[in-house]
Amino acid sequence: MSDVKSENRARFGVPADSMVFARGVRKSYSQLEVLKGIDLDVPAGSVACIIGPSGSGKSTFLRCINHLEKISGGLLLVDGQFVGYDLRDDKLYEVKDDLLCQRRAEIGMLFQSFNLFSHMTVMENLIEAPTQVRRIAPDQAKAEAEILLKRVGLLDKVDRYPRELSGGQQQRVAIARAMAMKPKVLLFDEPTSALDPELVGEVLQVMRDLAESGMTMVVVTHEIGFAREIGDQLVFMDGGVIVERGAPRQMIADPQSPRTREFLSRVL
Ligand code: ADP
Ligand code: MG
């Protein structure tokens, strides 16, 4: 662990095993406050599931963790490092672009819309970032890509283009592509929401395997069954705040807040 990380952890009381550490995270778009003080601890190797109605700030929070948005207040660290800022001589500095890219490369993000490069084959999709950003030799990147494609059950699709694949297959490729960068944490923003119902299961199965292999994951999802089985913690967001959190099984069976109860009754 680098000195900066140990220093940050000591100073802010970040647990040694913390992957995502959020305290009072706020985010505003001009007058609109979208995140109103989010606290979250995601220990390394654990899965946090986030549920909540549309517009509650779930995507914005993931985008903050992934350096796609700058937080307006609070404290946010990924693996002991500030998101968007660096602390030097007791002052916070904005992270420079090159460092930002480096940090973002350590975080994988999956979207509802897959976002594969449509003009590239499956293999080209997987080796693009490792060879361009991480400067891995193409042969090595290909060998690693094959292992990942095997893992998501798509080794036979290496030379296909995204349009030749089903939505479920495309999302599995997207997950393999994210894993090719060896991320410290994977963020999922409703990864199965755009899929036909019969294709949801194969994507959740890949996510389950990743979780079981010890991958740290933050998953925004409406798949309550997945959250119950795979989640180490469940968070219910509404109106930019965390209304309730807890062990998934317990929270789903016996929600304490009327807002959680009402939401769960709609999605279950
Ligand atoms: P969720 O993912 O829970 O549906 P979002 O994080 O996407 O919620 O959005 C939360 C709120 O923030 C919504 O009111 C949305 O309109 C607003 N919002 C999100 N992104 C922007 C943006 N770039 N500019 C202005 N408002 C935004
Ligand atoms: Mg969203």
Side-chain angles (χ1 to χ4, degrees):
M1 195 189 292
S2 76
D3 287 338
V4 178
K5 290 187 195 176
S6 340
E7 221 178 276
N8 286 347
R9 286 184 200 276
R11 178 188 290 249
F12 298 105
V14 182
D17 69 343
S18 166
M19 185 53 75
V20 179
F21 180 87
R23 288 294 179 277
V25 168
R26 294 178 173 274
K27 174 68 193 176
S28 300
Y29 296 106
S30 55
Q31 301 293 64
L32 179 69
E33 192 170 44
V34 173
L35 299 178
K36 302 174 182 170
I38 301 291
D39 296 345
L40 186 72
D41 277 300
V42 184
S46 77
V47 177
C49 291
I50 303 177
I51 56 173
S54 179
S56 55
K58 306 180 299 296
S59 296
T60 301
F61 184 53
L62 287 191
R63 292 169 58 80
C64 288
I65 297 174
N66 197 26
H67 307 254
L68 292 167
E69 299 285 357
K70 210 149 260 172
I71 63 176
S72 320
L75 192 61
L76 183 56
L77 291 95
V78 175
D79 192 30
Q81 289 188 308
F82 285 96
V83 169
Y85 299 93
D86 254 334
L87 190 69
R88 272 181 279 126
D89 309 326
D90 265 356
K91 287 202 181 92
L92 283 174
Y93 293 88
E94 286 196 13
V95 170
K96 299 236 164 40
D97 280 353
D98 52 339
L99 190 58
L100 195 73
C101 283
Q102 195 182 313
R103 295 222 181 134
R104 194 176 290 152
E106 298 174 339
I107 302 172
M109 186 143 174
L110 282 304
F111 302 90
Q112 189 174 325
S113 50
F114 324 135
N115 291 9
L116 291 173
F117 306 122
S118 58
H119 59 293
M120 291 185 190
T121 65
V122 166
M123 178 55 84
E124 287 164 354
N125 265 276
L126 261 75
I127 66 170
E128 175 69 11
T131 54
Q132 299 301 314
V133 181
R134 286 219 189 285
R135 305 273 167 217
I136 308 274
D139 282 351
Q140 192 192 335
K142 275 183 193 162
E144 290 177 6
E146 282 177 2
I147 294 169
L148 288 166
L149 286 171
K150 195 169 171 194
R151 204 164 151 191
V152 301
L154 292 172
L155 191 52
D156 57 330
K157 306 289 186 203
V158 275
D159 296 321
R160 298 303 182 90
Y161 285 88
R163 64 174 175 277
E164 299 176 292
L165 304 178
S166 72
Q169 289 170 335
Q170 287 186 52
Q171 192 62 301
R172 284 149 65 198
V173 171
I175 293 172
R177 181 180 65 174
M179 289 296 290
M181 288 295 277
K182 302 189 170 69
K184 293 172 174 171
V185 53
L186 278 186
L187 313 175
F188 293 85
D189 196 355
E190 304 196 29
T192 59
S193 294
L195 297 175
D196 291 335
E198 73 270 22
L199 302 178
V200 169
E202 65 192 58
V203 172
L204 293 180
Q205 184 56 46
V206 165
M207 292 168 64
R208 184 177 292 128
D209 290 345
L210 286 180
E212 281 165 5
S213 75
M215 192 69 215
T216 311
M217 307 188 347
V218 182
V219 185
V220 171
T221 186
H222 295 303
E223 296 291 333
I224 301 298
F226 176 87
R228 179 170 39 214
E229 274 175 58
I230 307 302
D232 294 293
Q233 62 175 316
L234 181 60
V235 168
F236 173 62
M237 276 179 72
D238 195 6
V241 298
I242 293 178
V243 173
E244 188 168 350
R245 69 177 83 226
R249 256 167 225 287
Q250 194 181 341
M251 201 171 130
I252 291 162
D254 186 23
Q256 299 300 300
S257 156
R259 282 154 84 187
T260 316
R261 206 172 307 141
E262 193 265 337
F263 177 79
L264 284 172
S265 73
R266 278 191 281 131
V267 294
L268 274 174

Coordinates of all heavy atoms in Angstrom, one line a residue, residues 29-78:
Y29 N -26.5 19.7 -9.3 CA -26.5 20.3 -10.7 C -27.1 21.7 -10.6 O -28.3 21.8 -10.4 CB -27.2 19.5 -11.7 CG -26.6 18.1 -11.9 CD1 -27.2 17.0 -11.3 CD2 -25.4 17.9 -12.6 CE1 -26.6 15.7 -11.5 CE2 -24.8 16.7 -12.8 CZ -25.4 15.6 -12.2 OH -24.9 14.3 -12.4
S30 N -26.3 22.7 -10.6 CA -26.8 24.1 -10.3 C -27.7 24.1 -9.1 O -27.2 23.8 -8.0 CB -27.4 24.8 -11.5 OG -28.4 24.0 -12.1
Q31 N -29.0 24.4 -9.2 CA -29.8 24.5 -8.1 C -30.3 23.2 -7.5 O -30.7 23.1 -6.4 CB -31.0 25.4 -8.4 CG -30.8 26.8 -8.8 CD -30.1 27.6 -7.7 OE1 -29.0 27.4 -7.3 NE2 -30.8 28.7 -7.3
L32 N -30.2 22.1 -8.4 CA -30.8 20.8 -8.0 C -29.8 20.0 -7.2 O -28.7 19.6 -7.7 CB -31.2 20.1 -9.3 CG -31.8 18.7 -9.1 CD1 -33.2 18.8 -8.5 CD2 -31.9 18.0 -10.5
E33 N -30.1 19.7 -6.0 CA -29.3 18.8 -5.2 C -29.8 17.4 -5.4 O -30.9 17.0 -5.0 CB -29.3 19.2 -3.7 CG -28.2 18.5 -3.0 CD -28.0 19.0 -1.5 OE1 -29.0 19.2 -0.8 OE2 -26.9 19.2 -1.1
V34 N -28.9 16.6 -6.0 CA -29.3 15.2 -6.4 C -28.8 14.2 -5.3 O -29.5 13.2 -5.0 CB -28.6 14.9 -7.8 CG1 -28.9 13.4 -8.1 CG2 -29.2 15.8 -8.8
L35 N -27.7 14.4 -4.8 CA -27.2 13.6 -3.6 C -27.1 14.5 -2.4 O -26.4 15.5 -2.4 CB -25.8 12.9 -4.0 CG -25.8 12.0 -5.2 CD1 -24.4 11.5 -5.4 CD2 -26.8 10.8 -5.1
K36 N -27.7 14.0 -1.3 CA -27.9 14.9 -0.2 C -27.2 14.4 1.1 O -27.7 14.4 2.1 CB -29.3 15.2 0.1 CG -30.1 15.8 -1.1 CD -31.6 15.8 -0.8 CE -32.3 16.4 -2.0 NZ -33.7 16.3 -1.9
G37 N -26.0 13.8 0.8 CA -25.2 13.2 2.0 C -25.3 11.7 2.0 O -26.1 11.2 2.8
I38 N -24.5 11.1 1.2 CA -24.5 9.6 1.1 C -23.4 9.1 1.9 O -22.2 9.4 1.7 CB -24.4 9.2 -0.4 CG1 -25.6 9.7 -1.2 CG2 -24.4 7.7 -0.5 CD1 -26.9 9.1 -0.9
D39 N -23.7 8.1 2.8 CA -22.6 7.4 3.5 C -22.7 5.9 3.0 O -23.7 5.3 3.0 CB -22.9 7.4 5.0 CG -22.8 8.7 5.6 OD1 -22.3 9.7 5.0 OD2 -23.3 8.9 6.8
L40 N -21.5 5.4 2.6 CA -21.5 4.0 2.2 C -20.1 3.4 2.5 O -19.1 4.1 2.2 CB -21.8 3.9 0.7 CG -22.0 2.5 0.2 CD1 -23.2 1.8 0.7 CD2 -21.9 2.4 -1.3
D41 N -20.1 2.2 3.0 CA -18.8 1.5 3.1 C -19.0 0.2 2.3 O -19.9 -0.6 2.5 CB -18.6 1.0 4.6 CG -18.0 2.1 5.4 OD1 -16.9 2.6 5.0 OD2 -18.7 2.6 6.4
V42 N -18.1 0.0 1.4 CA -18.0 -1.2 0.6 C -16.7 -1.9 0.9 O -15.6 -1.4 0.3 CB -18.2 -1.0 -0.9 CG1 -18.3 -2.4 -1.6 CG2 -19.5 -0.2 -1.2
P43 N -16.6 -2.9 1.7 CA -15.3 -3.6 2.0 C -14.9 -4.3 0.7 O -15.7 -4.8 -0.1 CB -15.6 -4.5 3.1 CG -16.9 -4.1 3.7 CD -17.7 -3.4 2.6
A44 N -13.6 -4.5 0.6 CA -13.0 -5.2 -0.6 C -13.6 -6.7 -0.5 O -13.7 -7.2 0.5 CB -11.5 -5.3 -0.5
G45 N -14.0 -7.1 -1.7 CA -14.5 -8.5 -1.8 C -16.0 -8.6 -1.5 O -16.5 -9.8 -1.5
S46 N -16.6 -7.5 -1.3 CA -18.1 -7.6 -0.9 C -18.9 -7.0 -2.1 O -18.4 -6.4 -3.0 CB -18.4 -6.9 0.4 OG -18.4 -5.5 0.2
V47 N -20.2 -7.3 -2.0 CA -21.2 -6.8 -3.0 C -22.2 -5.9 -2.3 O -22.9 -6.4 -1.4 CB -21.9 -8.0 -3.7 CG1 -22.9 -7.4 -4.7 CG2 -20.9 -8.9 -4.4
A48 N -22.3 -4.7 -2.8 CA -23.3 -3.8 -2.3 C -24.4 -3.6 -3.4 O -24.0 -3.3 -4.5 CB -22.7 -2.4 -1.9
C49 N -25.6 -3.8 -3.0 CA -26.7 -3.6 -4.0 C -27.5 -2.3 -3.6 O -27.7 -2.1 -2.4 CB -27.6 -4.8 -4.0 SG -26.8 -6.2 -4.7
I50 N -27.8 -1.5 -4.6 CA -28.5 -0.3 -4.4 C -29.8 -0.3 -5.2 O -29.8 -0.6 -6.4 CB -27.7 1.0 -4.9 CG1 -26.3 1.0 -4.2 CG2 -28.5 2.2 -4.7 CD1 -25.4 2.2 -4.6
I51 N -30.9 -0.1 -4.5 CA -32.2 -0.1 -5.1 C -32.8 1.3 -4.8 O -32.4 2.0 -4.0 CB -33.1 -1.2 -4.6 CG1 -33.3 -1.2 -3.1 CG2 -32.6 -2.6 -5.0 CD1 -34.3 -2.1 -2.5
G52 N -33.9 1.6 -5.6 CA -34.5 2.9 -5.3 C -35.3 3.3 -6.6 O -34.9 2.9 -7.7
P53 N -36.3 4.2 -6.4 CA -37.0 4.6 -7.6 C -36.2 5.5 -8.6 O -35.1 6.0 -8.2 CB -38.2 5.5 -7.0 CG -37.7 5.8 -5.6 CD -36.8 4.7 -5.2
S54 N -36.7 5.6 -9.7 CA -36.1 6.4 -10.8 C -35.9 7.8 -10.3 O -36.8 8.4 -9.6 CB -36.9 6.4 -12.0 OG -36.4 7.1 -13.0
G55 N -34.7 8.4 -10.5 CA -34.5 9.8 -10.1 C -34.0 10.0 -8.7 O -33.8 11.1 -8.2
S56 N -33.7 8.9 -8.0 CA -33.3 9.0 -6.6 C -31.8 9.3 -6.5 O -31.3 9.5 -5.4 CB -33.7 7.7 -5.9 OG -33.2 6.5 -6.5
G57 N -31.1 9.2 -7.6 CA -29.6 9.6 -7.5 C -28.7 8.4 -7.6 O -27.5 8.6 -7.5
K58 N -29.2 7.2 -8.0 CA -28.4 6.0 -8.0 C -27.3 6.1 -9.0 O -26.1 5.9 -8.8 CB -29.2 4.8 -8.3 CG -30.4 4.6 -7.3 CD -31.2 3.4 -7.6 CE -31.9 3.3 -9.0 NZ -32.9 4.4 -9.2
S59 N -27.7 6.5 -10.3 CA -26.7 6.6 -11.3 C -25.6 7.7 -11.0 O -24.4 7.5 -11.3 CB -27.3 6.9 -12.7 OG -28.2 5.8 -13.0
T60 N -26.1 8.8 -10.5 CA -25.2 9.9 -10.2 C -24.2 9.4 -9.2 O -23.0 9.8 -9.3 CB -26.0 11.1 -9.6 OG1 -27.0 11.5 -10.6 CG2 -25.1 12.2 -9.3
F61 N -24.6 8.7 -8.2 CA -23.7 8.2 -7.2 C -22.6 7.3 -7.8 O -21.4 7.5 -7.5 CB -24.4 7.5 -6.1 CG -23.5 7.0 -4.9 CD1 -22.7 8.0 -4.3 CD2 -23.5 5.7 -4.5 CE1 -21.8 7.6 -3.3 CE2 -22.7 5.3 -3.5 CZ -21.8 6.3 -2.9
L62 N -23.0 6.4 -8.7 CA -22.0 5.5 -9.4 C -21.1 6.3 -10.2 O -19.9 6.1 -10.2 CB -22.7 4.5 -10.3 CG -23.5 3.3 -9.6 CD1 -23.9 2.3 -10.7 CD2 -22.6 2.6 -8.5
R63 N -21.6 7.4 -10.9 CA -20.8 8.2 -11.7 C -19.8 9.0 -10.9 O -18.7 9.3 -11.3 CB -21.7 9.2 -12.6 CG -22.5 8.4 -13.6 CD -23.6 9.3 -14.3 NE -23.0 10.5 -14.9 CZ -22.4 10.5 -16.1 NH1 -22.3 9.4 -16.8 NH2 -21.9 11.7 -16.5
C64 N -20.2 9.3 -9.7 CA -19.2 10.0 -8.8 C -18.1 9.0 -8.4 O -16.9 9.4 -8.4 CB -19.9 10.5 -7.5 SG -21.0 11.9 -7.8
I65 N -18.4 7.8 -8.1 CA -17.4 6.8 -7.7 C -16.5 6.6 -8.8 O -15.3 6.4 -8.6 CB -18.1 5.5 -7.3 CG1 -19.0 5.6 -6.1 CG2 -17.0 4.4 -7.0 CD1 -19.8 4.4 -5.7
N66 N -17.0 6.7 -10.1 CA -16.2 6.4 -11.2 C -15.5 7.7 -11.8 O -15.1 7.6 -13.0 CB -17.1 5.8 -12.3 CG -16.3 5.1 -13.4 OD1 -15.1 4.7 -13.2 ND2 -16.8 5.0 -14.6
H67 N -15.5 8.7 -11.1 CA -14.8 10.0 -11.5 C -15.5 10.6 -12.7 O -14.8 11.4 -13.4 CB -13.3 9.8 -11.9 CG -12.5 9.1 -10.8 ND1 -11.6 9.8 -10.1 CD2 -12.5 7.8 -10.4 CE1 -11.0 8.9 -9.3 NE2 -11.5 7.7 -9.5
L68 N -16.7 10.3 -13.0 CA -17.4 10.9 -14.2 C -18.1 12.2 -13.7 O -18.4 13.0 -14.6 CB -18.4 9.9 -14.8 CG -17.8 8.7 -15.5 CD1 -18.9 7.6 -15.8 CD2 -17.1 9.1 -16.8
E69 N -18.3 12.3 -12.4 CA -18.9 13.5 -11.9 C -18.0 14.0 -10.7 O -17.5 13.1 -10.0 CB -20.3 13.3 -11.3 CG -21.3 12.8 -12.4 CD -21.7 13.9 -13.3 OE1 -21.3 15.1 -13.1 OE2 -22.5 13.6 -14.2
K70 N -17.9 15.2 -10.5 CA -17.2 15.8 -9.4 C -18.2 16.0 -8.2 O -19.2 16.6 -8.4 CB -16.6 17.1 -9.8 CG -15.3 17.3 -9.0 CD -14.3 18.2 -9.8 CE -13.2 17.3 -10.5 NZ -12.4 18.0 -11.4
I71 N -17.8 15.5 -7.1 CA -18.8 15.6 -5.9 C -18.8 17.1 -5.5 O -17.7 17.8 -5.6 CB -18.5 14.7 -4.8 CG1 -17.1 14.9 -4.1 CG2 -18.6 13.2 -5.3 CD1 -16.9 14.0 -2.9
S72 N -19.9 17.5 -4.9 CA -20.0 18.9 -4.5 C -19.7 19.0 -3.0 O -19.4 20.1 -2.5 CB -21.4 19.5 -4.7 OG -22.0 19.0 -5.9
G73 N -19.6 17.9 -2.3 CA -19.3 18.0 -0.9 C -19.2 16.6 -0.3 O -19.6 15.6 -1.0
G74 N -18.6 16.5 0.9 CA -18.4 15.2 1.5 C -17.0 14.6 1.1 O -16.1 15.3 0.6
L75 N -16.9 13.3 1.4 CA -15.7 12.6 1.3 C -15.9 11.3 0.5 O -16.8 10.6 0.9 CB -15.2 12.3 2.7 CG -13.8 11.9 2.9 CD1 -12.8 12.9 2.4 CD2 -13.5 11.6 4.4
L76 N -15.1 11.1 -0.5 CA -15.3 9.9 -1.3 C -13.9 9.3 -1.6 O -13.1 10.0 -2.2 CB -16.1 10.2 -2.5 CG -16.4 9.0 -3.5 CD1 -17.2 7.9 -2.7 CD2 -17.3 9.5 -4.6
L77 N -13.7 8.1 -1.1 CA -12.4 7.4 -1.4 C -12.6 6.1 -2.0 O -13.5 5.3 -1.6 CB -11.5 7.3 -0.2 CG -10.9 8.6 0.4 CD1 -11.8 9.1 1.6 CD2 -9.5 8.3 1.0
V78 N -11.8 5.7 -3.0 CA -11.8 4.4 -3.6 C -10.5 3.8 -3.4 O -9.5 4.4 -3.8 CB -12.2 4.4 -5.1 CG1 -12.1 3.0 -5.7 CG2 -13.6 5.0 -5.4

